[in-house]
Amino acid sequence: MPREIPLFDALIPTLLLILIGSALIYVLIDQLLRDVDWDRFVWHPALFRFALFVILFSGLGLWWYS
Amino acid sequence: MNPEPSQSALIGRQRLVALQNFFKEEAASWLFVLKTLIAALIALWLAYRLELESPKTAVVTVFIVMQARTGMVLAKGFYRALGTIIGSGVALLLVAAFAQERVMFLIGLAIWVGMLTAGATIYRNFQSYAFVLAGYTACLVGLPAAMDPNAAFDIAVTRLTEVLLGILVASTISGLVFPLSIRELLLSAALKRFATFANSSGRALSFGVPTEEWGSLHLKAINEIVTLDSYRSVGIFDNPKTRLQNQTILRMSADLIAAASTLHVLNRHILRLNDPSMNAVREALDPLLATGVRLLQTHVPTSAFEAQQLMSYIGEWQAEIQKHKSRILAENTFSPEQQLAFDTALMLLEQFIDEFRHYGRSHSALQDARIIEDDDQAPPLIQHGRHATDFSQPLIAGLRTVLMLGAMSVFWINSAWPTGVLALTIAVVVSALFSTAPNPAKMVFQLWQGIALSFVAAFAFQFMVLPNLHGFTQLTFGLIPFLAFAAYLMTRPKWGAIGVGFGMFFSTLAIPDNVTQFNYAGLLNSGIALLVSATIAALAFLTVMPMGNQLSRYRMMRALNRQLIVACLNPLTGLRPQFERDSRELLRQIAGMRGFNTAKDRATLTDALTIQELGSAVLELRTLLGQPHSLDAARLSSVQTAISALARFYRHRNQRNLRALRQAFNNVIPQVFDQVFDNKGKEPTSNDRKIQIYLHLIQLQVQAIPDIDRPAAPEPEVSKEVAGYAA
């Protein structure tokens, strides 16, 4: 898998695109979860969110580079 | 019966409570220290791992951004990132344009920084901070980049990376490790405001609060509302619940200000009733007031529940007044003058209770995290985080920075000072950072102390500690005592600026780059440059149009006068909240100026309170004139003439206009009286009576305005207040 992708002739690290992608997915999931008022079931909402993002990002990154 | 607790047991209990409070406070402080340390060290480690140019920048950023509440960190971080990005962009632009022309480059930089420093005084809260940052980041990136134009882009990118890393780490840690929401702080501040308001209304209703004391209460209230608003602006970055509360807080502040402005007019009126000629009115009012005064003075709400309880009692009181007022009116026979005074008091009282209940309702909605649905009032106008000010204020702030930058540049160029870049940068940083503080010179002096301390500490660290350390873990242990000391100082409000200075500059001076260099001469040079630049910044604040100079005072007072003109002449839609907000904001800025406590300033404060009262009354009057009433065209035009005479007087305050103003009101009062007495057979419609009451209130206030050409007689204000009726 390419480590860098040329975007308008500038080399952009693929990881950056993955970061942006996972941030978008994260926002989407967060919106969906907010509708069901999920933070009643979670002890530490901020930690939950952070972990969710880390899982998304590292999952996507590992999948891309494996 | 309980035995009386012995004296020593009481003292023991008091000590226990004090000790508990102490530990509660200490625990919060140490939690903050812990979070700051974790964030700083993680940022440092990451910066080393990523092999950034100067890892210290990440640590410095952590120290700047770190605050007790998560929302505050996120807000500050967000605006800091914004400011840094814009500033770096502008720096690159400047380097690209003037790489060879250092004079042109410095002029361009000075203009940019001056403009943004000016912008920072117009906006409030963290928006203002973003302006400051965009200004000085341009300096921070631009100066080193101009020294080495080929590496300019790299310098900008590295700087940006380091700052963003620091922000990211600080936000994450503050959000994850024992996060503290701004919500409790907001709620307790709101409750405190409510309790204070209830208490001072109790005092105002019983015998009136003397003007001078009322002025300081008024200022305290304004400042508390501003604090609430700053919490609100941070709340947007807090959890989603606080985000939803935004509208409720705005609503509560608007209700509070409405109630407070009526209370302000009512207080002045009750003071006038203390005049002996008004004894009958006072006695007739007492039974109506007694319940409320007792309620407000004995129930000091310490919880949201108690606040709600108080409001339900107030509701009962309102019903009681409704029931008894016609009986009391029938029982008493007043002279027309007394009758007017009584009606005025009653109307204001009823209006006040009504508004107070609105405020109570929106306050409890905030406490219970409810959202008020029925919007019978337009939401208040607090937009874009901008606040009213006179344009002289941003102009002075901008010019001061430009002058300082210019003077230091000339010195730097002519002396070829090796650390001139650092000195120039830090001077700009310091003067921009504190340009919005109420007493910048004092803050800079504290910062100076922090720098001096950090200079000594950095020497100790580099000479004695650093040579013995190997690897990151040992570096961590070497740094912890110093960083913890800085973080602990930051939790003390008294030494906050020392703490920030120590944290920032200790990190700048002492933390080694990726390739450790022991450069004692360099350290000495940098330290001296820092001290010199902070001194020059302090000197600039003290000498170039210092805060509270005659010109700004004059300009701000004029801006306040203009508020009243606006209240008299502008179209009415949305005018009332705008007037209440802007006039308060201006008063807050005037009172925040350095050395605000001389006799002349107290006169200013009285003047400002008069403007507040006149403005509220005029706005009410104008609203009433827009509603159905039975004034004929001639009388209506004489009222209009009086209002424009008021505006004219506040445009040019001279004796001629004052005489014209008094004349106008002396003409209009008997006319409107005539009409009401003409209609004596029929019950005057209540709007007519209200118009008369507001005219009467304005006239009393107008008569109390001291003459202009006579040098202001040292007559105590209270007696003048009472003289409203005696005259």
Side-chain angles (χ1 to χ4, degrees):
Chain A
M1 293 287 166
R3 283 167 65 94
E4 288 177 323
I5 290 180
L7 196 75
F8 304 116
D9 288 345
L11 285 180
I12 304 282
T14 318
L15 211 54
L16 181 69
L17 296 183
I18 291 178
L19 180 81
I20 294 171
S22 45
L24 287 180
I25 298 175
Y26 164 78
V27 169
L28 214 74
I29 294 180
D30 193 48
Q31 283 294 333
L32 289 178
L33 285 178
R34 191 172 297 163
D35 290 341
V36 295
D37 207 6
W38 56 278
D39 59 357
R40 279 181 297 145
F41 310 108
V42 176
W43 163 68
H44 193 324
L47 188 60
F48 183 89
R49 287 199 162 118
F50 184 66
L52 179 67
F53 181 75
V54 169
I55 290 169
L56 274 174
F57 180 46
S58 38
L60 279 176
L62 286 173
W63 169 71
W64 186 260
Y65 282 103
S66 62
Chain B
M1 286 294 266
N2 282 339
E4 283 285 307
S6 70
Q7 196 70 19
S8 65
L10 255 180
I11 290 174
R13 197 173 306 149
Q14 275 170 358
R15 276 196 190 142
L16 196 68
V17 170
L19 208 64
Q20 273 173 344
N21 284 340
F22 176 73
F23 277 117
K24 219 183 268 172
E25 223 170 87
E26 283 300 291
S29 301
W30 284 105
L31 183 64
F32 175 75
V33 171
L34 180 76
K35 281 160 111 172
T36 312
L37 276 182
I38 294 176
L41 293 174
I42 290 180
L44 186 61
W45 182 76
L46 280 172
Y48 278 133
R49 270 309 296 257
L50 298 173
E51 294 182 9
L52 296 178
E53 190 88 4
S54 59
K56 56 182 85 161
T57 310
V59 182
V60 173
T61 306
V62 168
F63 268 96
I64 296 176
V65 174
M66 210 57 183
Q67 274 167 89
R69 305 276 161 172
T70 308
M72 286 178 171
V73 179
L74 293 181
K76 206 169 179 187
F78 174 76
Y79 285 111
R80 187 173 175 83
L82 209 64
T84 309
I85 291 169
I86 295 171
S88 307
V90 170
L92 284 181
L93 216 63
L94 281 171
V95 171
F98 306 118
Q100 294 87 5
E101 284 289 329
R102 56 180 178 187
V103 177
M104 287 303 283
F105 176 83
L106 286 171
I107 289 176
L109 195 63
I111 291 175
W112 171 254
V113 174
M115 260 167 35
L116 290 210
T117 312
T121 54
I122 300 177
Y123 283 79
R124 63 165 117 205
N125 299 339
F126 290 111
Q127 272 109 323
S128 143
Y129 186 67
F131 269 84
V132 166
L133 270 174
Y136 80 63
T137 310
C139 231
L140 227 49
V141 175
L143 285 171
M147 299 281 102
D148 186 6
N150 288 327
F153 190 73
D154 287 340
I155 291 175
V157 169
T158 318
R159 167 90 201 161
L160 206 60
T161 315
E162 287 158 353
V163 169
L164 291 184
L165 177 70
I167 292 172
L168 210 65
V169 174
S171 316
T172 311
I173 295 302
S174 129
L176 294 185
V177 184
F178 301 110
L180 288 173
S181 164
I182 192 92
R183 207 178 137 70
E184 308 112 64
L185 204 62
L186 177 76
L187 292 186
S188 74
L191 183 66
K192 196 181 138 219
R193 179 85 283 274
F194 181 82
T196 320
F197 182 74
N199 184 270
S200 40
S201 11
R203 288 186 51 204
L205 291 181
S206 64
F207 278 102
V209 181
T211 306
E212 204 155 287
E213 199 192 337
W214 187 256
S216 65
L217 283 178
H218 189 65
L219 282 176
K220 229 177 83 189
I222 295 173
N223 280 323
E224 279 178 33
I225 294 173
V226 168
T227 312
L228 266 176
D229 194 62
S230 78
Y231 292 159
R232 178 192 65 82
S233 76
V234 168
I236 298 168
F237 291 88
D238 214 83
N239 64 22
K241 268 196 206 109
T242 321
R243 223 169 295 162
L244 292 176
Q245 294 286 293
N246 202 13
Q247 207 55 34
T248 317
I249 303 171
L250 282 178
R251 178 63 183 281
M252 185 191 74
S253 310
D255 287 344
L256 166 60
I257 288 179
S261 90
T262 307
L263 182 65
H264 176 61
V265 180
L266 183 58
N267 179 51
R268 287 207 160 192
H269 191 68
I270 286 180
L271 280 178
R272 287 186 204 111
L273 294 185
N274 291 343
D275 187 79
S277 67
M278 290 291 149
N279 268 345
V281 179
R282 206 42 258 190
E283 274 163 28
L285 271 175
D286 270 338
L288 290 180
L289 288 174
T291 320
V293 170
R294 189 174 45 75
L295 269 176
L296 290 167
Q297 285 188 336
T298 51
H299 290 67
V300 180
T302 52
S303 68
F305 176 71
E306 284 177 23
Q308 225 161 0
Q309 218 173 14
L310 175 64
M311 285 328 292
S312 70
Y313 292 144
I314 295 283
E316 285 163 24
W317 176 39
Q318 195 181 27
E320 191 187 305
I321 290 180
Q322 285 301 333
K323 211 167 67 195
H324 293 300
K325 70 173 179 188
S326 48
R327 181 179 56 80
I328 288 180
L329 261 174
E331 270 173 13
N332 290 281
T333 44
F334 294 128
S335 68
E337 206 175 42
Q338 287 174 329
Q339 183 69 47
L340 191 57
F342 181 83
D343 286 358
T344 306
L346 193 61
M347 187 203 70
L348 287 174
L349 180 65
E350 283 180 323
Q351 191 185 339
F352 166 68
I353 296 174
D354 210 39
E355 283 165 347
F356 187 33
R357 289 189 64 191
H358 268 107
Y359 168 44
R361 205 182 55 175
S362 50
H363 173 251
S364 67
L366 175 69
Q367 297 282 359
D368 306 345
R370 275 185 290 115
I371 294 168
I372 299 183
E373 300 290 350
D374 54 336
D375 245 29
D376 50 344
Q377 252 167 297
L381 308 155
I382 299 181
Q383 296 160 334
H384 317 307
R386 226 185 305 167
H387 55 64
T389 186
D390 187 70
F391 74 88
S392 63
Q393 295 305 302
L395 208 64
I396 289 173
L399 272 181
R400 185 188 299 123
T401 314
V402 170
L403 274 180
M404 194 195 64
L405 212 156
M408 279 193 81
S409 303
V410 169
F411 179 73
W412 175 41
I413 290 174
N414 287 322
S415 67
W417 191 8
T419 40
V421 176
L422 183 66
L424 196 56
T425 312
I426 298 303
V428 171
V429 171
V430 170
S431 82
L433 263 186
F434 295 121
S435 62
T436 51
N439 190 353
K442 194 178 144 214
M443 298 290 279
V444 177
F445 182 61
Q446 275 207 354
L447 193 78
W448 195 94
Q449 290 170 306
I451 294 175
L453 266 179
S454 71
F455 192 18
V456 176
F459 245 93
F461 182 77
Q462 289 234 323
F463 260 123
M464 299 191 282
V465 185
L466 196 56
N468 303 317
L469 300 177
H470 304 281
F472 183 75
T473 322
Q474 292 193 5
L475 177 66
T476 307
F477 285 108
L479 283 176
I480 281 179
F482 295 101
L483 299 187
F485 174 66
Y488 186 75
L489 277 187
M490 277 162 76
T491 62
R492 309 283 109 172
K494 240 166 105 183
W495 299 320
I498 301 183
V500 174
F502 186 84
M504 274 171 68
F505 295 110
F506 174 77
S507 311
T508 313
L509 293 171
I511 293 180
D513 290 344
N514 254 327
V515 182
T516 309
Q517 289 177 328
F518 293 95
N519 181 358
Y520 300 122
L523 176 61
L524 204 59
N525 273 337
S526 308
I528 290 172
L530 291 181
L531 287 178
V532 167
S533 59
T535 312
I536 290 179
L539 280 178
F541 278 124
L542 282 176
T543 53
V544 185
M545 297 292 231
M547 283 284 169
N549 60 67
Q550 286 303 320
L551 179 69
S552 1
R553 263 171 219 227
Y554 170 74
R555 297 287 319 183
M556 293 300 279
M557 224 27 229
R558 256 195 46 171
L560 192 59
N561 286 339
R562 209 174 310 125
Q563 284 300 317
L564 188 61
I565 301 174
V566 165
C568 288
L569 302 179
N570 275 27
L572 269 174
T573 28
L575 195 55
R576 177 140 196 205
Q578 188 202 330
F579 168 78
E580 302 289 358
R581 175 174 53 100
D582 288 353
S583 59
R584 278 179 165 73
E585 176 57 38
L586 288 169
L587 177 58
R588 187 183 70 86
Q589 287 176 38
I590 294 172
M593 286 177 172
R594 201 164 61 94
F596 183 91
N597 219 358
T598 56
K600 208 171 139 208
D601 288 329
R602 278 197 291 280
T604 308
L605 188 57
T606 317
D607 210 30
L609 290 178
T610 304
I611 288 175
Q612 195 103 64
E613 180 180 354
L614 279 173
S616 306
V618 166
L619 284 170
E620 284 288 350
L621 180 63
R622 289 184 59 202
T623 315
L624 285 168
L625 289 178
Q627 288 164 4
H629 57 75
S630 60
L631 291 191
D632 57 22
R635 295 193 170 86
L636 199 59
S637 87
S638 78
V639 174
Q640 300 287 13
T641 316
I643 292 177
S644 23
L646 187 63
R648 204 171 310 119
F649 172 66
Y650 273 93
R651 184 164 293 137
H652 300 290
R653 293 177 75 153
N654 54 35
Q655 187 64 25
R656 199 164 60 88
N657 281 343
L658 180 60
R659 227 175 295 133
L661 172 65
R662 286 185 183 150
Q663 189 61 42
F665 272 93
N666 287 345
N667 283 343
V668 78
I669 293 286
Q671 280 198 32
V672 179
F673 264 95
D674 276 354
Q675 172 124 22
V676 174
F677 285 120
D678 280 349
N679 295 342
K680 187 126 196 185
K682 320 166 241 168
E683 186 69 17
T685 66
S686 94
N687 267 357
D688 287 0
R689 187 64 174 166
K690 275 186 183 169
I691 289 174
Q692 199 187 356
I693 285 172
Y694 277 111
L695 279 172
H696 172 65
L697 275 172
I698 297 172
Q699 195 210 13
L700 286 175
Q701 208 42 256
V702 162
Q703 278 170 351
I705 294 175
D707 282 339
I708 309 285
D709 22 332
R710 251 188 310 164
E715 200 179 342
E717 189 54 36
V718 187
S719 70
K720 221 180 289 164
E721 206 63 60
V722 178
Y725 277 118

